[in-house]
Amino acid sequence: MSADTDAIYMTTVSAGTNIAVIKYWGKADADFNTPLNDSVSVTLDQKDLRAVTTVAASNRFMSGGDRLWLNGVEDCGAATNRRFRACIDGVKALATDKTADDGTVVTKAMWQSMPIHVSSFNTFPTAAGLASSAAGYAALVAALADLMQAREEFPGQLSTIARQGSGSACRSLYGGFVAWRAGTKEAHWLDSKADCIQPESHWPEIRALILVVSDEKKDTSSTAGMSTSVATSALLNHRATVVVPERMTAMKAAWNAKDFETFGKITMQDSNQFHAVCLDTYPPIFYMNDISRSVIRIVTAYNAFHQSIRAAYTFDAGPNAVIYCLQEHSAEIGALMLHYYPAPDSNTNDYINNAEFATEAAAIALDPALLDACNRTGRRDPTVGDVRKMYYTQSGPGPLPVSDICNLDPQTGLNVYTPPPSK
Ligand code: DP6
């Protein structure tokens, strides 16, 4: 049976963010959006932070063309936006004939001619250095692939499409510990793709505590910052050619061996070097602020007190801190962070996303000697308001189908998502 020419075909998919422990910074080819160096990240659990994306295809959208709503607001320039186009057109090229729920067959050619509507929302602050674009573009590509039954011509091809939406998005197409291989011009950058090193089940004890220092939009976008760094930072070339290749090998071995000491040390060193490159950029770029730096000092004092690396900070293109640790130390680290960055009132439920963890952390009596050591090195008085929210999460899976949410009206294909009122 051939397909109803007016039907609306729709699907919803979610994807998690990822936080790199070897950072991507600097493009080898801006047109293909390929990186100067390999990078590696942890995909975070969608239960805590995710993008939820509904995509619809229909001939009924012919007059309006492709449309995108982000967090309930239409982005009117999307149809001609290069990144959005690369994802839509890239997945359409891989579409296959699909039997719809009503038994009709939508052919590859039909998918390719139908305009697309997209509505996506994030469950966390957008563009504040929490990799919202990574989750968003990964969910977009995964949803389009599901809708049009796209078939990869080689493993990882969908990640080469997500990469063109936002580089870091390619890593969110897989769960667990995921590398992005820089790739080569000789291979037309088809080898610039994500590669799952270990699924999330490999090291289930890994936790991430995220301190949202600011949910304002960042000053310098990653794309603009990278371009200035490539043009002006002498350190960046050394980082990409000498430091990162060695760190990638050591990092992969540490993850495979579940060696937190090495994992944590390289994570912190690589974050430091990324921000050193930002400072080495002319004019310099500042993503971290005084609050970010106070987190670094407290984590450093905490590790020194225990004479081992139990907490590892990392910062992306924004002031928010992500602290990786093992589950066995997470309550103590949570208690320490709650001590220096207290909740505005005794009700921590709005402040920490995970009530069980909040209760566990609040019940910890911190060793006075630890506080003394942190007070000396951390040079920070506990202050309410510097951190707006904390997320406690772990490593999670790649994109997942969503059956209980639909951001587009099945009858009209128009956005129905409205963001919850801000507190
Ligand atoms: C600091 O992936 O946002 O988070 O490819 O230009 O969209 P574009 O950049 P983006 O850069 C992320 C940079 C980083 C480090 C990382 O995630 O590896």
Side-chain angles (χ1 to χ4, degrees):
M1 200 172 24
S2 66
D4 171 0
T5 50
D6 242 12
I8 298 179
Y9 302 98
M10 207 180 266
T11 192
T12 302
V13 167
S14 64
T17 60
N18 69 76
I19 299 293
V21 291
I22 302 278
K23 306 291 187 193
Y24 146 50
W25 196 253
K27 296 177 198 293
D29 189 313
D31 290 337
F32 286 84
N33 206 32
T34 55
L36 282 180
N37 55 262
D38 289 4
S39 57
V40 65
S41 61
V42 180
T43 298
L44 300 183
D45 197 340
Q46 296 183 32
K47 283 204 292 294
D48 302 308
L49 301 104
R50 63 177 181 165
V52 181
T53 303
T54 303
V55 293
S58 177
N59 288 328
R60 268 206 255 171
F61 307 155
M62 213 51 102
S63 58
D66 297 331
R67 293 174 74 179
L68 167 69
W69 290 265
L70 277 180
N71 295 311
V73 178
E74 183 161 14
D75 175 352
C76 294
T80 53
N81 177 293
R82 218 176 116 121
R83 291 166 178 248
F84 184 67
R85 282 258 57 84
C87 293
I88 302 260
D89 299 339
V91 179
K92 275 188 170 180
L94 304 180
T96 62
D97 298 355
K98 181 180 174 184
T99 306
D101 292 342
D102 59 3
T104 60
V105 175
V106 186
T107 65
K108 176 178 175 129
M110 288 164 78
W111 289 125
Q112 290 179 334
S113 66
M114 281 190 248
I116 304 287
H117 283 187
V118 180
S119 174
S120 184
F121 69 90
N122 299 322
T123 59
F124 54 96
T126 300
L130 278 185
S132 57
S133 64
Y137 278 108
L140 173 64
V141 167
L144 289 168
D146 179 49
L147 179 72
M148 299 186 271
Q149 201 171 270
R151 290 272 175 270
E152 290 185 326
E153 289 153 355
F154 57 89
Q157 189 174 15
L158 287 172
S159 80
T160 69
I161 297 170
R163 180 197 86 217
Q164 296 170 63
S166 184
S168 51
C170 72
R171 298 185 307 235
S172 275
L173 277 187
Y174 298 94
F177 199 54
V178 186
W180 172 15
R181 308 290 172 202
T184 54
K185 194 176 175 189
E186 293 68 43
H188 308 287
W189 300 113
L190 290 172
D191 49 352
S192 183
K193 58 180 187 167
D195 170 17
C196 177
I197 293 180
Q198 291 281 1
E200 64 277 16
S201 54
H202 171 71
W203 202 0
E205 297 84 8
I206 281 283
R207 295 291 179 274
L209 181 63
I210 303 173
L211 275 52
V212 180
V213 168
S214 155
D215 56 9
E216 299 300 321
K217 283 195 154 218
K218 61 196 176 200
D219 281 356
T220 310
S221 74
S222 306
T223 311
M226 281 184 212
S227 154
T228 319
S229 293
V230 169
T232 62
S233 169
L235 176 57
L236 180 55
N237 185 46
H238 173 68
R239 164 178 168 72
T241 55
V242 179
V243 181
V244 169
E246 286 169 13
R247 281 187 185 160
M248 281 297 293
T249 306
M251 188 53 117
K252 193 174 157 181
W255 190 270
N256 282 336
K258 303 196 221 179
D259 167 4
F260 192 85
E261 185 85 23
T262 308
F263 165 80
K265 187 171 180 195
I266 303 174
T267 295
M268 292 187 281
Q269 287 177 318
D270 204 71
S271 173
N272 294 346
Q273 189 174 70
F274 155 48
H275 291 279
V277 166
C278 291
L279 194 58
D280 188 47
T281 298
Y282 189 82
I285 307 165
F286 306 105
Y287 287 123
M288 292 194 294
N289 61 20
D290 284 349
I291 303 159
S292 319
R293 284 183 283 272
S294 73
V295 174
I296 294 182
R297 284 196 289 264
I298 291 163
V299 167
T300 305
Y302 173 76
N303 288 334
F305 179 82
H306 286 296
Q307 296 181 349
S308 73
I309 293 173
R310 290 188 178 186
Y313 60 78
T314 185
F315 297 82
D316 278 345
N320 303 324
V322 177
I323 302 171
Y324 284 113
C325 61
L326 293 176
Q327 202 258 328
E328 59 180 310
H329 303 131
S330 63
E332 186 182 42
I333 294 164
L336 193 65
M337 293 302 143
L338 274 176
H339 175 81
Y340 286 105
Y341 310 94
D345 52 45
S346 57
N347 174 12
T348 49
N349 281 353
D350 282 344
Y351 191 57
I352 304 186
N353 69 320
N354 181 318
E356 198 185 324
F357 174 73
T359 309
E360 207 188 325
I364 296 263
L366 288 164
D367 184 338
L370 168 63
L371 285 177
D372 190 45
C374 289
N375 286 341
R376 270 183 280 115
T377 318
R379 302 198 300 277
R380 180 181 161 90
D381 294 324
T383 314
V384 170
D386 282 355
V387 167
R388 297 183 191 199
K389 190 169 172 71
M390 294 187 189
Y391 290 92
Y392 176 65
T393 188
Q394 56 195 23
S395 178
L400 295 170
V402 176
S403 56
D404 57 340
I405 302 174
C406 187
N407 301 329
L408 295 169
D409 183 334
Q411 308 304 323
T412 63
L414 296 175
N415 174 64
V416 289
Y417 174 80
T418 47
S422 55
K423 289 188 183 128

